[in-house]
Amino acid sequence: MRTPRLSIAFDAADIAAESRFWADLLDGEVVRADDDWHTVQFPSGSGVPDICVQRAPGHVAPTWPDPAVPQQVHLDVDVEDVRAAEQEALAKGARLVEETVDLDADEGFRVYASPAGHPFCLCWGQ
């Protein structure tokens, strides 16, 4: 199957905060914003799929790794400078969920959550 564009959709109660977080973190732009759906696009040729955010008033944030509410979906974001990437993610509203590997390791990942609680990993050296 060929597709001209891949989108990843997240549910969130506050779609403005969630879409702005992903746009700011990954240098994208919110190109569609209505009451129930936001679309974040990235520069042409970047290879980054659209991230869409759908209004879900009753959204329950994942509690992963606690199995009470599973992670549902997550993104792996490969970075060159994990220390700088971590500082940027935290400054833009992410929270650290799991310190899986020391930042001085040659390779690894750490788990974070977006403002709506969706997990994502910063990965390096792989």
Side-chain angles (χ1 to χ4, degrees):
M1 173 184 357
R2 296 182 69 106
T3 181
R5 184 173 299 278
L6 172 68
S7 298
I8 298 167
F10 291 111
D11 287 353
D14 184 345
I15 63 175
E18 188 73 1
S19 61
R20 178 56 32 216
F21 170 78
W22 290 112
D24 288 349
L25 184 66
L26 300 175
D27 295 326
E29 179 182 358
V30 179
V31 296
R32 178 180 170 204
D34 59 38
D35 290 343
D36 295 316
W37 186 270
H38 286 192
T39 301
V40 180
Q41 285 185 342
F42 302 91
S44 179
S46 69
V48 179
D50 289 355
I51 294 177
C52 302
V53 184
Q54 172 177 282
R55 180 172 309 286
H59 177 258
V60 177
T63 57
W64 186 89
D66 176 349
V69 181
Q71 68 177 343
Q72 303 163 8
V73 66
H74 78 276
L75 302 177
D76 285 342
V77 180
D78 293 337
V79 298
E80 293 180 10
D81 182 343
V82 68
R83 287 185 186 282
E86 179 177 79
Q87 288 176 348
E88 183 177 354
L90 295 173
K92 291 180 176 174
R95 65 181 168 80
L96 181 61
V97 173
E98 187 175 6
E99 293 182 35
T100 55
V101 178
D102 187 274
L103 294 177
D104 292 323
D106 290 337
E107 66 178 45
F109 69 95
R110 281 193 166 181
V111 183
Y112 304 82
S114 72
H118 295 290
F120 67 96
C121 297
L122 295 179
C123 308
W124 68 96
Q126 299 163 353

